[in-house]
Amino acid sequence: MAIYSLFLMTISVFGVVSSPCFRNEQSLLLQLKNNLTFNSTMSTKLVKWNQSADCCSWEGVTCNEGRVIGLDLTNESISGGLDNSSSLFSLQHLESLSLAYNDFNYSHEIPSEFDKLANLSYLNLSSACFTGQIPIAISRLTRLVTLDLSFNDLHLENPNFKVLIQNLSELMELHLDGVLISAPGNEWCRALSSSLPNLRVLSLSSCNLSGPIDSSLRNLHSLSIICLNDNYFSAPVPEFFADFKNLTSLEVFGSELNGKFPEKIFQVPTLQTLDLSYNDDLQGSLPEFPLNGSLQTMVLRGTSFSGTLPSSIGNLKILSKIDLWRCNFVGSIPDSMASLTQLKYLDISYNKFSGSIPNFSMCKNLTTVRLCNNYLS
Ligand SMILES: *[C@@H]1O[C@H](CO)[C@@H](O)[C@H](O)[C@H]1NC(C)=O
Ligand SMILES: *[C@@H]1O[C@H](CO)[C@@H](O)[C@H](O)[C@H]1NC(C)=O
Ligand SMILES: *[C@@H]1O[C@H](CO)[C@@H](O)[C@H](O)[C@H]1NC(C)=O
Ligand SMILES: *[C@@H]1O[C@H](CO)[C@@H](O)[C@H](O)[C@H]1NC(C)=O
Ligand SMILES: *[C@@H]1O[C@H](CO)[C@@H](O)[C@H](O)[C@H]1NC(C)=O
Ligand SMILES: *[C@@H]1O[C@H](CO)[C@@H](O)[C@H](O)[C@H]1NC(C)=O
Ligand SMILES: *[C@@H]1O[C@H](CO)[C@@H](O)[C@H](O)[C@H]1NC(C)=O
Ligand SMILES: *[C@@H]1O[C@H](CO)[C@@H](O)[C@H](O)[C@H]1NC(C)=O
Ligand SMILES: *[C@@H]1O[C@H](CO)[C@@H](O)[C@H](O)[C@H]1NC(C)=O
Ligand SMILES: *[C@@H]1O[C@H](CO)[C@@H](O)[C@H](O)[C@H]1NC(C)=O
Ligand SMILES: *[C@@H]1O[C@H](CO)[C@@H](O)[C@H](O)[C@H]1NC(C)=O
Ligand SMILES: *[C@@H]1O[C@H](CO)[C@@H](O)[C@H](O)[C@H]1NC(C)=O
């Protein structure tokens, strides 16, 4: 067998086949399959793992020189059989692991042996129905670049948020949506800004976060996607969000924002998506829009935004969705809007717009138009 392996490896140098799986890795994977509870009717990858082929060719398995470095068991209807003694934690070369979209039935905690997988840079346990406290083991995975534990039934007390991310200094993407973090603004913001200098994607929706949004966050220069929906900020959005040079998406709906929203944020040249809906006490008005803006989605639904729609909204050539339902806008609908050829969705109902309706015949993609409860003629 050893000679056979050597032979195959030699061939692989010439690009004929890739290196075969190391035998111990293959048996660890078979043991993992054997121990996991999954529905074989629904499974598309695990169900086919068998001895007849080299494990590096199995679906969901990625190898480097015969070692398993990636395991993608997304949506395999796994419902149990993952615990501290699982052979998963002997696959020490793993760099990427996804168990997203499985159903651990809210009866499994995340095993505390995860720290054995010290080389992980990508870990995705999103929507897998795990429950309980996030184990300290995750905080020891210091090579993580992407961590996604969103949409389970998890919480953070001991360790808390600060301790969890303290040493994860390589992280670029953090998704903890739905994890009960329950921290005030000075705490969660400072934890992020002191630990994760490279962060690009921050997704903390429904985390029971409170405000204020602390100025320490301004240190996270690389932030590109910020998603903080469904929290309890009772605070304004700080102006320094407009200084993030790569900001492409800002979503903070239903989070009890108040104060005046900084106009400068609308003018960030890279911004594509802005959703501030359902923040009843959030005030603001629309600024002049620069030429060639990147905005595609602007949702201010159910806020207290007021003032007029500037004619320069016509500069947003790729705007496809604008939703101003139940705000306090007045004045006429600028004719320049008729030149927004990418527009698909327009809802300006329940405002105080007056005057005539522009001719939207150039907007060939427009599928939804809601104008009711205004003073339009
Ligand atoms: C996993 O399966 C092996 C046999 O394949 C068995 O010996 C072992 O006890 C199982 N471990 C768990 C935790 O179920
Ligand atoms: C597996 O999935 C199929 C298709 O959804 C379903 O009919 C079957 O009852 C499931 N089996 C088990 C053991 O849950
Ligand atoms: C999961 O797999 C099922 C079939 O097994 C498929 O119908 C479903 O769309 C998949 N879900 C996702 C999110 O990929
Ligand atoms: C065994 O693996 C081969 C190759 O991946 C696959 O084609 C075959 O369907 C598998 N057999 C079973 C019984 O799953
Ligand atoms: C961990 O990754 C590094 C480089 O990414 C590699 O040199 C090292 O051998 C890996 N360790 C294990 C146990 O695979
Ligand atoms: C999921 O949990 C419920 C109740 O907690 C239990 O009745 C059911 O059998 C569990 N399903 C599986 C697949 O473990
Ligand atoms: C794993 O072991 C730890 C103790 O080492 C225990 O607290 C935890 O509940 C175990 N987790 C699972 C999923 O079995
Ligand atoms: C985690 O996996 C799910 C399912 O494939 C995917 O939708 C999600 O984007 C992944 N998360 C990250 C951060 O890659
Ligand atoms: C983070 O690293 C420091 C220094 O190595 C260590 O003292 C601390 O215990 C680590 N924190 C966690 C949560 O592992
Ligand atoms: C949410 O956070 C507050 C403190 O900010 C706390 O009193 C409350 O218990 C938390 N809610 C939950 C469900 O943990
Ligand atoms: C913004 O993104 C570009 C391209 O990805 C990158 O080169 C640059 O360093 C980023 N800027 C910041 C402040 O992260
Ligand atoms: C309508 O949308 C499609 C795809 O989203 C796009 O390719 C096309 O250019 C749009 N039509 C117009 C008139 O802009």
Side-chain angles (χ1 to χ4, degrees):
M1 187 64 195
I3 291 169
Y4 176 68
S5 292
L6 196 64
F7 172 63
L8 282 182
M9 295 244 257
T10 312
I11 297 177
S12 81
V13 173
F14 300 100
V16 178
V17 294
S18 52
S19 317
C21 202
F22 281 107
R23 283 184 71 190
N24 65 323
E25 305 262 302
Q26 174 138 340
S27 66
L28 287 169
L29 288 173
L30 285 173
Q31 197 179 326
L32 176 65
K33 170 183 177 179
N34 194 44
N35 287 6
L36 288 175
T37 315
F38 63 96
N39 183 330
S40 49
T41 316
M42 304 294 282
S43 165
T44 58
K45 301 175 212 169
L46 266 178
V47 72
K48 290 194 225 141
W49 291 6
N50 66 59
Q51 296 277 14
S52 78
D54 182 275
C55 80
C56 290
S57 70
W58 296 352
E59 276 181 66
V61 177
T62 310
C63 293
N64 181 23
E65 295 179 349
R67 296 199 164 91
V68 176
I69 57 163
L71 204 49
D72 180 358
L73 295 177
T74 304
N75 194 21
E76 282 289 291
S77 72
I78 301 167
S79 59
L82 183 71
D83 57 25
N84 286 332
S85 64
S86 174
S87 55
L88 173 68
F89 303 114
S90 303
L91 294 166
Q92 309 233 327
H93 305 287
L94 268 190
E95 293 171 17
S96 170
L97 171 65
S98 175
L99 292 171
Y101 293 146
N102 283 292
D103 185 2
F104 287 96
N105 201 19
Y106 301 114
S107 56
H108 284 64
E109 300 196 341
I110 297 176
S112 54
E113 293 294 294
F114 260 100
D115 51 359
K116 297 285 188 309
L117 304 177
N119 246 15
L120 274 186
S121 67
Y122 179 93
L123 177 59
N124 191 342
L125 304 180
S126 167
S127 309
C129 306
F130 282 109
T131 190
Q133 165 71 44
I134 296 175
I136 187 81
I138 303 294
S139 69
R140 301 195 187 106
L141 300 175
T142 53
R143 292 177 157 235
L144 281 178
V145 174
T146 301
L147 175 61
D148 189 344
L149 304 179
S150 57
F151 310 115
N152 288 284
D153 173 27
L154 298 167
H155 61 266
L156 276 169
E157 272 167 58
N158 184 20
N160 64 16
F161 183 57
K162 181 181 162 70
V163 173
L164 177 77
I165 63 174
Q166 200 167 59
N167 293 341
L168 305 184
S169 55
E170 314 269 300
L171 270 191
M172 290 186 182
E173 282 199 36
L174 178 62
H175 302 255
L176 296 178
D177 308 82
V179 174
L180 275 180
I181 296 177
S182 305
N186 54 4
E187 225 170 278
W188 64 269
C189 294
R190 282 176 206 174
L192 287 166
S193 59
S194 62
S195 309
L196 310 182
N198 303 319
L199 200 63
R200 293 183 186 175
V201 179
L202 175 65
S203 199
L204 300 178
S205 294
S206 312
C207 289
N208 195 27
L209 299 174
S210 317
I213 300 175
D214 190 77
S215 61
S216 57
L217 263 198
R218 75 167 75 231
N219 299 337
L220 301 179
H221 304 287
S222 302
L223 277 179
S224 166
I225 296 179
I226 303 176
C227 185
L228 296 169
N229 304 318
D230 189 27
N231 284 296
Y232 302 92
F233 295 128
S234 304
V237 174
E239 178 142 326
F240 66 76
F241 275 31
D243 300 333
F244 295 136
K245 294 277 177 292
N246 284 344
L247 188 65
T248 55
S249 174
L250 176 62
E251 294 183 20
V252 201
F253 59 71
S255 285
E256 299 184 0
L257 293 172
N258 60 29
K260 187 169 187 304
F261 184 78
E263 284 187 4
K264 273 170 64 185
I265 295 178
F266 286 98
Q267 295 164 325
V268 172
T270 48
L271 189 67
Q272 296 170 7
T273 301
L274 180 66
D275 189 340
L276 303 169
S277 48
Y278 302 113
N279 287 288
D280 293 355
D281 298 328
L282 182 64
Q283 294 170 16
S285 51
L286 298 180
E288 293 301 327
F289 291 102
L291 273 174
N292 301 322
S294 308
L295 257 188
Q296 292 171 19
T297 299
M298 178 160 74
V299 183
L300 305 176
R301 201 178 163 78
T303 62
S304 297
F305 267 73
S306 58
T308 57
L309 273 184
S311 174
S312 56
I313 195 162
N315 290 341
L316 301 175
K317 294 290 179 231
I318 55 176
L319 193 63
S320 83
K321 175 170 180 174
I322 175 162
D323 187 345
L324 309 177
W325 174 84
R326 218 198 66 205
C327 296
N328 295 318
F329 285 100
V330 296
S332 59
I333 306 175
D335 285 333
S336 62
M337 284 192 81
S339 64
L340 297 174
T341 53
Q342 301 298 312
L343 203 58
K344 291 191 179 118
Y345 188 103
L346 172 70
D347 186 345
I348 59 169
S349 58
Y350 294 87
N351 281 281
K352 294 177 191 122
F353 286 112
S354 54
S356 57
I357 300 168
N359 178 351
F360 286 112
S361 62
M362 271 162 70
C363 306
K364 300 267 185 275
N365 281 346
L366 201 52
T367 51
T368 304
V369 182
R370 298 207 177 94
L371 308 173
C372 65
N373 289 71
N374 282 292
Y375 304 112
L376 297 164
S377 52

